[in-house]
Amino acid sequence: MSVDTSVDTVVPARSTNAPRPAARRDRAAALRAAFLRAAPALALFAAVRLTGTLLMAVWAWHIGKSPLRLLGQSWDSLWYTRIAAHGYGHTRIFGDGEIIQSDLAFFPLYPGLIRAVSSLLPVTPGGAGLLISWTAALAAAWGVFAVVDRLHGRRVATVTVVLWGLLPHSVVLSMAYTEPALVALSAWSLYAVLTRRWLLAGALAALAGLSRPNAVALVAAVVLTAAHELLRRRQRGWRVWAGALLAPLGWASYVLYVGIRKGDPLGGYFAVQADWSSRFDFGSGTLKFIKHLVSAPERFGFPMALVIVAVGVLLFALMVYGMDRRPPLVLLVYAGVLVVITVGGAGFFESKPRFLLPAFPLLLPLACALTRARPRAAVTVTVALAGLSMAYGTYLLAVAPMPM
């Protein structure tokens, strides 16, 4: 399927810079039609996530835990809500001061949104975080649908959205975590690239860069695709350049801010991450942990994380070499950088599957295969994934004594 290279134009009114009423109506009609096209996929996504959340809640009540507390005040959620309430500056010291974990490791977009929502609405910071995450998860599902629908049609797009909602770590999409916001911004930025809206793509990538460190994958995807288009002379004009220049501003500005605050503009942020045992070591830490897993018993979540990461690598290989039609460069770069970060990064091995959650293009080979399979086989695979996702999500949030 060819990619539409047209760019939406706005015709100014005679006396103002605003679009004419007819243009506004056309845009509203197009948006309404797009939402109605995506509505079945969004309904299925909401159904699977709501079912998984309800099952987790039932088990949490059974063991005497609060489901809302688990969803809104677990692990990283506590750091985000604290930043929202008090700003940056909190550290935790372990042992004899050998390990110092700073809240500067957490990017500012999500805490800023929590602070804004909790100021406007009568909710706690944890409740605000959940409202933001649930809204962003639906926006992300719509963005995933839009990207895949443009490339492979409505049926494959619907299956991809359902599969994304059934990933083993998809419980994170129901928590007060940053992944829903990151994926929403990433998916719509990728869609903007596919439709040649370079300014929008760069602006969304800049916002995504303020949400999480691995948003650098989206930045790389937008910048490299823009460079490729310019070198091949497929796209010209200032908008391509502006989109490419906008994309890294959010990520780079926060990294530089932390570096200046720590007295080392270029290395300060990475020193903060190193204090969290989070660094890029080209996979050395991953190999060491795999050796540990095969030589000693470990909690269930650790070998499960290894399996999920291995499947992610396999899906990327299938995405590159096993599909009838190779995905566009922007999706290959985005998914590829996320895989490299996940495999090549050290620290918190149990969190690696969560780092792959934004990499929804990895699901394209499986989604295409399911749409071609016999209905009974497709239903069997989907039901099996649903059972795994809901059971494992409940285990991670309500049972497992390890961070996500």
Side-chain angles (χ1 to χ4, degrees):
M1 183 179 295
S2 61
V3 176
D4 182 10
T5 57
S6 63
V7 178
D8 289 348
T9 57
V10 176
V11 180
R14 294 179 180 176
S15 58
T16 68
N17 292 324
R20 289 177 178 174
R24 291 177 178 173
R25 288 195 296 270
D26 289 344
R27 288 180 180 275
L31 182 62
R32 192 161 50 245
F35 177 77
L36 291 176
R37 182 174 176 83
L42 300 183
L44 289 171
F45 174 80
V48 298
R49 289 304 331 128
L50 181 60
T51 302
T53 303
L54 287 176
L55 289 175
M56 183 282 300
V58 169
W59 185 256
W61 282 320
H62 174 68
I63 61 177
K65 294 183 178 180
S66 166
L68 283 178
R69 186 176 181 84
L70 289 174
L71 292 169
Q73 300 181 49
S74 294
W75 305 110
D76 288 0
S77 300
L78 296 173
W79 287 91
Y80 290 122
T81 53
R82 184 181 181 90
I83 294 169
H86 305 290
Y88 286 100
H90 178 66
T91 59
R92 292 199 315 185
I93 302 175
F94 298 90
D96 295 327
E98 297 179 357
I99 301 177
I100 302 175
Q101 293 180 340
S102 169
D103 58 8
L104 290 171
F106 298 92
F107 279 52
L109 178 65
Y110 189 60
L113 291 174
I114 291 175
R115 183 162 189 164
V117 172
S118 59
S119 299
L120 294 173
L121 300 177
V123 293
T124 64
L130 289 178
L131 288 176
I132 295 166
S133 292
W134 295 344
T135 303
L138 283 174
W142 189 3
V144 171
F145 178 89
V147 169
V148 182
D149 183 30
R150 183 167 186 83
L151 299 174
H152 295 279
R154 186 178 188 180
R155 188 179 178 192
V156 176
T158 300
V159 173
T160 303
V161 169
V162 173
L163 289 175
W164 186 62
L166 291 177
L167 289 174
H169 268 63
S170 58
V171 66
V172 173
L173 299 174
S174 301
M175 298 175 63
Y177 266 52
T178 58
E179 274 72 17
L182 170 62
V183 182
L185 292 167
S186 296
W188 286 108
S189 178
L190 295 172
Y191 181 76
V193 171
L194 293 176
T195 55
R196 301 302 190 258
R197 294 173 172 88
W198 291 101
L199 289 178
L200 178 60
L204 292 175
L207 278 176
L210 292 171
S211 63
R212 283 196 55 77
N214 56 352
V216 71
L218 176 63
V219 173
V222 174
V223 171
L224 290 179
T225 303
H228 181 265
E229 295 292 305
L230 289 168
L231 289 174
R232 293 293 184 92
R233 297 186 177 180
R234 294 177 179 175
Q235 291 285 306
R236 296 183 181 182
W238 65 271
R239 287 181 175 82
V240 184
W241 287 98
L245 292 173
L246 275 174
L249 289 183
W251 189 88
S253 62
Y254 184 69
V255 170
L256 185 61
Y257 162 77
V258 175
I260 293 173
R261 185 162 172 168
K262 300 295 289 185
D264 181 4
L266 297 181
Y269 174 77
F270 303 101
V272 170
Q273 286 283 9
D275 290 337
W276 281 81
S277 301
S278 180
R279 62 189 182 279
F280 190 81
D281 62 359
F282 299 94
S284 175
T286 298
L287 291 175
K288 289 179 181 178
F289 201 86
I290 291 173
K291 182 179 179 181
H292 167 73
L293 284 179
V294 300
S295 62
E298 193 51 89
R299 296 189 185 103
F300 175 68
F302 290 101
M304 186 68 177
L306 176 60
V307 170
I308 294 170
V309 172
V311 170
V313 174
L314 175 61
L315 287 175
F316 182 71
L318 291 174
M319 181 181 168
V320 176
Y321 300 109
M323 297 186 68
D324 296 336
R325 187 170 52 203
R326 182 175 292 184
L329 176 65
V330 68
L331 297 189
L332 291 173
V333 174
Y334 174 70
V337 174
L338 285 171
V339 170
V340 169
I341 291 173
T342 302
V343 175
F348 294 107
F349 192 89
E350 63 275 21
S351 297
K352 286 182 179 288
R354 176 165 61 87
F355 301 157
L356 282 177
L357 193 60
F360 67 88
L362 295 178
L363 297 170
L364 286 175
L366 181 56
C368 290
L370 286 177
T371 55
R372 293 193 299 263
R374 294 181 178 179
R376 180 178 297 179
V379 170
T380 301
V381 171
T382 304
V383 170
L385 287 175
L388 171 64
S389 171
M390 294 172 189
Y392 191 58
T394 298
Y395 165 78
L396 285 175
L397 197 54
V399 179
M402 60 184 188
M404 298 179 62

